[in-house]
């Protein structure tokens, strides 16, 4: 069993990044929209799935989720558009040096 990492766009135009184990992401999105989870998405419904990726290894998915949560809004929007050149550009430090790690 693997894990999905996903990004939701909330009604207030904010993003939520989460993860769910299993082979079908639809029930998890339905749970968010039903208000099953207290927290970020509860008061920002309805939510729309804007991006997801499946990972065979749960540890890889959790690492990706943590990384995405730290991304800027602009970088998340570039990922949603699959604009890899922009994701790469935004991964650069302000001084123009590549990030390490």
């Amino acid at each position: 069993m693997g894990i999905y990492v996903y990004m939701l766009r909330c009604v207030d135009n904010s993003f939520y990044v989460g993860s769910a184990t299993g082979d079908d992401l639809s029930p998890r999105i339905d749970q968010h929209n039903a208000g099953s989870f207290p927290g970020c998405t509860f008061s920002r419904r309805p939510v729309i799935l804007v991006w997801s990726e499946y990972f065979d290894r749960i540890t890889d998915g959790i690492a990706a989720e943590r990384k995405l949560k730290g991304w800027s809004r602009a970088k998340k929007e570039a990922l949603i558009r699959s604009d890899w050149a922009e994701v790469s550009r935004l991964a650069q430090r302000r001084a123009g040096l590549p990030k390490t790690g």
Side-chain angles (χ1 to χ4, degrees), residues 15-28:
F15 292 121
Y16 172 83
V17 176
S19 60
T21 57
D23 57 1
D24 185 5
L25 190 52
S26 297
R28 182 62 155 225

Side-chain angles (χ1 to χ4, degrees), residues 3-95:
I3 188 170
Y4 277 97
V5 177
Y6 60 91
M7 191 177 338
L8 306 175
R9 183 183 310 270
C10 301
V11 72
D12 65 356
N13 214 28
S14 63
F15 292 121
Y16 172 83
V17 176
S19 60
T21 57
D23 57 1
D24 185 5
L25 190 52
S26 297
R28 182 62 155 225
I29 307 310
D30 292 342
Q31 290 172 328
H32 279 286
N33 277 315
S36 300
F37 305 113
C40 181
T41 60
F42 185 85
S43 61
R44 293 178 172 93
R45 295 175 284 157
V47 298
I48 299 168
L49 179 66
V50 292
W51 176 88
S52 69
E53 186 170 335
Y54 183 81
F55 294 84
D56 289 323
R57 294 177 33 183
I58 292 175
T59 54
D60 292 342
I62 291 169
E65 177 185 4
R66 287 183 181 159
K67 184 181 282 189
L68 286 173
K69 285 183 175 186
W71 282 14
S72 68
R73 179 176 186 84
K75 196 169 176 183
K76 289 174 183 173
E77 289 173 340
L79 175 66
I80 292 165
R81 294 190 310 269
S82 297
D83 185 346
W84 305 115
E86 184 69 357
V87 169
S88 179
R89 186 187 74 75
L90 292 167
Q92 304 297 311
R93 290 186 177 193
R94 290 184 184 176

